[in-house]
Amino acid sequence: MASGQRDETPDEPAPAQFEFVRRTPSPQLVGIVTELIGFRELVPVYVRQTEVASLHVPLIISFGEAFAIGLSRAPRDNDRFASFAAGIHAGPVIIDSFGRACCIQVNFTPLGARRFFSLPMSELADRMVPFDEVLGSAGHRLRQRLGDETDWHRRLDMTEAFIIERLRTMPAISDEISWALARIVASGGRARVASIADEIGWGRKHLAARFADQVGVGPKSIARIVRFNRAAKLSKRADRTSWADLAAECGYADQAHMVREFRALAGATPTGLG
C-alpha cells in the first residue's frame, strides 16, 4: 500500500447520479502523477463533455462500459475506448458516456508518463492506446485485481503501489528536457524555443526530436498549450480588463490570434469557454 498523506474528497454533485473520489498523489509520486480519480456512473444517462488541451497524460483503467472519444471532433460509432492511455493532443477531446462507466483515471505529467510507460511519448500523442499495449501482462493482472476489489480507496491504494513499484526500475528523464519543459511552463508559454535550445547547447531540431520522445510533441506545441491554459485561467479573473489586454498579457499577436487559438485548443471562443 502506498504511504503518505492523501486528500480524498467525495464528489459534490448528487451521489444518486455517480460516485467520484479524487486523491492527490503520495509524496513518492510528486512530479509524476497529478491526481488519481475513481468514477462510477449510477444512472444510464447519455452525457457529452469536452476537455480542452492540457499537459495531462491520462491512464484509464475501466471496469464498465467504454467511452466514445473523438480528438478535435465528435466521436463516431467505432470510436469506443475502455482501458487505455492517451498522450498529449493539441486540441479539444470530446467524450461521450452512456451511464454505465466505471473506471480509475490516473493523470500523469508528461515526463512522469515517459518514465512510467517507458515508451517514446510520440507513440501516445494524438492517440488512445489500449491498456494491454502499454502495460502488457502486468497491466492485465492489475486490472483484474482492481476489478475484483469494490472499495475505491483500496483500489487507489493498489494503483499507487503499482505505479511506485514500476518506477523503481525505470530510468530517469533527461535533465535537459526536464529543465526545458519547466522553463516553458514557468514562462507561461512565452519562452523562445531557439533561446532554450541555445541555453542547453542543442540545435532546435535535436530539441524537437527529444521533446517528441520524452514529452510527445514538440516544444512549440507545448508552449501553445501552456499559453492557452494561462489565458483561459486569466479570462476568469474578476479584474480582467479587456480581451485585447489579455491577449497581449499572454503573448498573443492580437485578440484575433487568441480567439483562433481558443477555437483550436478548446473548440470554443474565450467567451464560449465560460
Side-chain angles (χ1 to χ4, degrees):
M1 181 179 294
S3 61
Q5 185 176 0
R6 304 178 182 88
D7 174 23
E8 296 175 0
T9 56
D11 177 56
E12 293 181 358
Q17 297 179 13
F18 51 84
E19 298 173 341
F20 190 100
V21 175
R22 175 182 282 115
R23 172 182 292 186
T24 56
S26 300
Q28 299 98 311
L29 296 179
V30 172
I32 302 291
V33 172
T34 59
E35 63 180 351
L36 300 96
I37 298 166
F39 176 77
R40 182 165 76 100
E41 293 177 319
L42 303 175
V43 179
V45 176
Y46 165 76
V47 176
R48 168 168 289 182
Q49 61 177 319
T50 299
E51 295 187 358
V52 303
S54 76
L55 298 189
H56 293 147
V57 178
L59 172 67
I60 307 297
I61 309 172
S62 176
F63 322 109
E65 187 174 12
F67 298 98
I69 304 175
L71 300 179
S72 295
R73 59 168 175 78
R76 302 186 180 109
D77 290 341
N78 61 342
D79 292 327
R80 297 298 182 99
F81 303 92
S83 297
F84 63 92
I88 290 175
H89 173 65
V93 179
I94 301 172
I95 305 168
D96 291 345
S97 60
F98 307 93
R100 297 180 178 85
C102 180
C103 66
I104 285 176
Q105 177 169 336
V106 182
N107 286 331
F108 287 91
T109 66
L111 297 183
R114 179 62 176 85
R115 279 195 64 197
F116 176 74
F117 293 115
S118 192
L119 291 170
M121 291 306 293
S122 56
E123 295 184 11
L124 272 65
D126 301 316
R127 295 180 62 201
M128 278 72 70
V129 181
F131 186 74
D132 290 348
E133 289 187 23
V134 291
L135 291 178
S137 58
H140 179 71
R141 290 191 296 271
L142 172 66
R143 185 187 176 282
Q144 286 187 314
R145 290 172 55 216
L146 292 172
D148 291 339
E149 179 58 71
T150 57
D151 181 85
W152 282 115
H153 304 296
R154 288 196 291 269
R155 278 175 166 170
L156 296 181
D157 286 341
M158 293 162 62
T159 303
E160 280 198 289
F162 177 86
I163 296 169
I164 291 168
E165 183 58 32
R166 181 177 171 87
L167 289 172
R168 296 187 198 282
T169 61
M170 298 302 174
I173 295 299
S174 158
D175 289 339
E176 292 88 350
I177 295 299
S178 296
W179 178 85
L181 180 58
R183 174 75 180 278
I184 292 171
V185 172
S187 73
R190 302 188 67 170
R192 295 181 62 249
V193 173
S195 297
I196 291 174
D198 287 344
E199 290 190 53
I200 295 175
W202 291 353
R204 281 179 287 180
K205 288 185 177 180
H206 182 65
L207 178 65
R210 293 294 298 275
F211 255 74
D213 174 81
Q214 300 205 5
V215 180
V217 296
K220 287 187 177 180
S221 291
I222 292 296
R224 285 183 66 207
I225 294 170
V226 170
R227 186 164 52 243
F228 156 73
N229 276 278
R230 178 169 183 256
K233 181 179 180 180
L234 292 178
S235 71
K236 299 176 176 61
R237 195 173 59 189
D239 61 347
R240 178 181 61 78
T241 54
S242 70
W243 292 114
D245 289 341
L246 177 64
E249 181 179 353
C250 293
Y252 293 105
D254 51 31
Q255 182 178 337
H257 180 207
M258 182 178 71
V259 171
R260 289 195 299 272
E261 287 291 272
F262 267 67
R263 288 188 183 278
L265 298 175
T269 64
T271 52
L273 190 60

